[in-house]
Amino acid sequence: MSSIDRSQSAGGTRTYEVRTYGCQMNVHDSERLAGLLEDAGYVRAAEGSDGDADVVVFNTCAVRENADNKLYGNLGHLAPKKAARPGMQIAVGGCLAQKDRDTIVKRAPWVDVVFGTHNIGKLPVLLERARVQEEAQIEIAESLEAFPSTLPTRRESAYAAWVSISVGCNNTCTFCIVPALRGKEKDRRPGDILGEIEALVAEGVSEITLLGQNVNAYGSDIGDREAFSKLLRACGGIDGLERVRFTSPHPRDFTDDVIAAMAETPNVMPQLHMPLQSGSDPVLKAMRRSYRQERYLGIIEKVRAAIPHAAISTDIIVGFPGETEEDFEQTLHVVREARFAQAFTFQYSKRPGTPAAEMDGQIPKRVVQERYERLVALQEEISWEENKKQVGRTLELMVAEGEGRKDDTTHRLSGRAPDNRLVHFTKPEQEVRPGDVVTVEITYAAPHHLLAEGPALDVRRTRAGDAWEKRNAEKAAPQPAGVMLGLPRIGVPEPLPVATSGCGCD
């Protein structure tokens, strides 16, 4: 019996699966896609279904060169499954869909729906139209139809949440295709943002991450250059909101009032992700980045002066067209000076439609690889040295879900420190839930995590932990699918994507 036959015999409900590639914006968009499908009566497929759902949605990224190969490889894998199961549907959305449009159906004619970044709210309608008309539906809007936060949302976490404050980008970086696919920046009204945060906190969320393609440019669309710092301070006045983060800012828009707001607002965490891209002034100019090395290092210096324990991470591109060995050495110099806690490093990826793709001086792959390996080795050394400075410190951790792959075998739990470092700690005797807060002393440092091997110094049960417990109890009890309209129910976990999936475009 096919998956669709099984689901219909079990009560007529259809299952769905959403596969996400790319940046945090895509992760949050996928929460909305899931919310839309559940609001339309679909039920999420079991973990590990591997394409056995009745509807499989690909939310794509167009920043990296391998994005195309990954998508079409996965679509090819599903082709025989779809041929064997009448009624199964496949949809492709996101940045690659916005870019390629008709190409997707030409290369994979078994795809039912192609939709863009501006009209994700149309997915259920397009699926139904494709089913009734028995032909592929391609609908790509050229501009934003409605701010995505008005859509139903199925949050992946009960204790932490993404909150979009803007969509789109006004920058014209020569390596990045995102502005062409996401459009010009559109800001939400501050009252709408704060209303969403307050609703999330009322449901038990205790950590939020403010999200935007260029998050600290917030206010340019509403005519207030200090809007972002005001928003951070306003978050500090929300009772029950314990942690505030944001990603990703742009050095051009990183002003002193933002640094002051970070330092003076207790629930804004001592963490900053500040994309560098290159340490070379000539390369930054070729990238059309509106800052230079001195300006960048000046921001880092000011942040460290105001927030001494801040952990700073970055994005770096290696092998941009025309990059010389001297240019690359300047990048290494900035890495040594800035002493990043973590760096998401990327080999330059030539993307059709970007000015950089047509530039002279494309760097041979072997040269890019060699430079990339040197950069990674240097950053690994610095990350480890910076982590070693944490040994002996007492830290409050928010217990995380699913971030410690070896927790079951080591009898440990995992959590995030205020500066977002990952800490594995000895499991306390009393019950600890994701979202609860545990105080520990750091005893060991590795390049990418810390250990607290002694007993927990304190365990604080929280409303966020209660929310996690309630959600899991609801999962265990059979009930009709449902999701709130407009303001989402509850949060999202990982504050940053892993290095292989970040877009590196900020």
Side-chain angles (χ1 to χ4, degrees):
M1 184 182 291
S2 71
S3 174
I4 187 168
D5 291 334
R6 285 195 302 270
S7 65
Q8 289 175 342
S9 64
T13 56
R14 301 192 69 195
T15 59
Y16 76 89
E17 174 189 354
V18 180
R19 300 186 186 182
T20 309
Y21 307 101
C23 66
Q24 303 97 319
M25 192 70 75
N26 272 20
V27 173
H28 193 23
D29 280 349
S30 288
E31 292 184 323
R32 297 185 178 110
L33 292 171
L36 283 160
L37 291 170
E38 293 194 5
D39 194 53
Y42 293 83
V43 174
R44 190 176 191 175
E47 293 293 330
S49 60
D50 191 28
D52 287 334
D54 300 318
V55 172
V56 179
V57 183
F58 292 89
N59 189 11
T60 63
C61 172
V63 173
R64 308 295 296 164
E65 188 173 11
N66 65 0
D68 306 57
N69 298 333
K70 182 177 287 189
L71 171 65
Y72 292 113
N74 282 308
L75 289 176
H77 174 72
L78 288 185
K81 292 191 175 187
K82 188 173 190 294
R85 291 171 47 208
M88 179 183 177
Q89 291 182 297
I90 299 172
V92 179
C95 288
L96 193 63
Q98 187 81 20
K99 180 176 76 74
D100 284 358
R101 305 176 184 236
D102 297 334
T103 305
I104 292 173
V105 172
K106 288 178 181 176
R107 292 184 60 176
W110 53 93
V111 168
D112 298 277
V113 171
V114 179
F115 62 101
T117 58
H118 298 308
N119 62 331
I120 63 176
K122 291 288 186 67
L123 176 60
V125 171
L126 293 173
L127 287 169
E128 181 63 12
R129 191 185 300 164
R131 185 187 67 80
V132 172
Q133 297 182 6
E134 297 184 343
E135 63 180 12
Q137 300 296 309
I138 303 170
E139 188 167 313
I140 306 291
E142 296 301 330
S143 60
L144 194 66
E145 294 184 344
F147 202 92
S149 289
T150 62
L151 300 174
T153 306
R154 185 194 191 281
R155 299 280 175 157
E156 291 299 320
S157 167
Y159 56 88
W162 303 113
V163 175
S164 288
I165 68 171
S166 64
V167 295
C169 180
N170 293 335
N171 294 320
T172 57
C173 300
T174 55
F175 57 83
C176 184
I177 199 169
V178 168
L181 304 179
R182 292 276 183 180
K184 293 292 185 180
E185 180 178 324
K186 296 292 182 184
D187 295 336
R188 292 178 71 190
R189 292 176 44 161
D192 293 341
I193 297 168
L194 295 172
E196 179 178 352
I197 295 171
E198 288 169 351
L200 289 165
V201 171
E203 292 287 342
V205 168
S206 60
E207 175 179 321
I208 61 103
T209 300
L210 302 174
L211 185 62
Q213 223 78 51
N214 182 8
V215 70
N216 62 320
Y218 177 74
S220 63
D221 185 45
I222 56 179
D224 185 354
R225 289 185 57 82
E226 295 189 351
F228 186 62
S229 62
K230 292 174 183 175
L231 183 61
L232 290 177
R233 293 183 186 276
C235 288
I238 297 177
D239 187 40
L241 180 58
E242 298 194 17
R243 296 186 172 193
V244 177
R245 306 186 191 276
F246 57 89
T247 195
S248 287
H250 192 294
R252 182 195 67 186
D253 302 298
F254 208 84
T255 50
D256 290 349
D257 62 298
V258 173
I259 297 173
M262 291 177 66
E264 296 165 9
T265 310
N267 63 357
V268 175
M269 293 294 96
Q271 174 219 344
L272 175 64
H273 183 73
M274 178 72 79
L276 169 66
Q277 308 304 5
S278 174
S280 162
D281 287 355
V283 173
L284 288 170
K285 182 178 180 180
M287 288 178 167
R288 215 177 284 159
R289 303 286 285 180
S290 52
Y291 56 89
R292 299 296 177 260
Q293 181 187 119
E294 183 178 3
R295 158 75 171 155
Y296 186 92
L297 289 174
I299 294 172
I300 301 300
E301 184 178 355
K302 287 181 179 180
V303 170
R304 289 244 160 86
I307 315 167
H309 289 301
I312 300 173
S313 56
T314 195
D315 295 332
I316 300 173
I317 296 172
V318 178
F320 187 81
E323 180 188 76
T324 65
E325 180 62 25
E326 182 180 355
D327 292 325
F328 179 66
E329 286 292 340
Q330 288 301 303
T331 295
L332 297 181
H333 169 70
V334 174
V335 169
R336 293 187 188 101
E337 290 293 310
R339 300 197 65 80
F340 300 114
Q342 188 178 19
F344 299 100
T345 53
F346 305 87
Q347 298 185 32
Y348 170 71
S349 182
K350 189 175 182 179
R351 303 307 289 138
T354 62
E358 306 300 324
M359 287 182 177
D360 295 332
Q362 301 287 328
I363 310 297
K365 170 66 176 176
R366 60 176 179 79
V367 176
V368 177
Q369 183 67 34
E370 187 271 338
R371 290 177 184 171
Y372 175 80
E373 291 173 1
R374 284 160 57 196
L375 173 61
V376 169
L378 174 62
Q379 183 55 52
E380 286 278 301
E381 178 184 333
I382 292 172
S383 294
W384 200 358
E385 290 172 356
E386 291 301 304
N387 274 0
K388 286 176 181 176
K389 295 178 183 178
Q390 306 298 310
V391 174
R393 290 190 66 196
T394 298
L395 300 175
E396 272 197 343
L397 311 179
M398 181 175 289
V399 181
E401 183 175 30
E403 293 210 52
R405 291 176 296 173
K406 299 180 181 178
D407 283 352
D408 289 340
T409 56
T410 59
H411 303 291
R412 294 184 179 125
L413 296 176
S414 299
R416 291 281 175 178
D419 65 7
N420 203 41
R421 283 182 166 93
L422 179 63
V423 182
H424 306 300
F425 62 96
T426 302
K427 189 174 183 179
E429 291 185 6
Q430 65 198 93
E431 181 190 21
V432 178
R433 308 159 301 176
D436 287 339
V437 175
V438 176
T439 304
V440 300
E441 181 179 334
I442 304 302
T443 58
Y444 175 81
H448 301 292
H449 68 268
L450 303 171
L451 289 182
E453 299 164 298
L457 304 178
D458 184 58
V459 175
R460 175 164 61 88
R461 292 173 68 86
T462 65
R463 291 174 62 253
D466 294 342
W468 179 89
E469 191 170 17
K470 178 182 178 183
R471 169 180 281 201
N472 280 268
E474 290 172 348
K475 283 181 181 178
Q479 59 179 342
V483 68
M484 286 181 65
L485 288 173
L487 293 178
R489 286 183 62 192
I490 22 193
V492 66
E494 303 173 331
L496 290 172
V498 295
T500 54
S501 65
C503 75
C505 60
D506 301 290

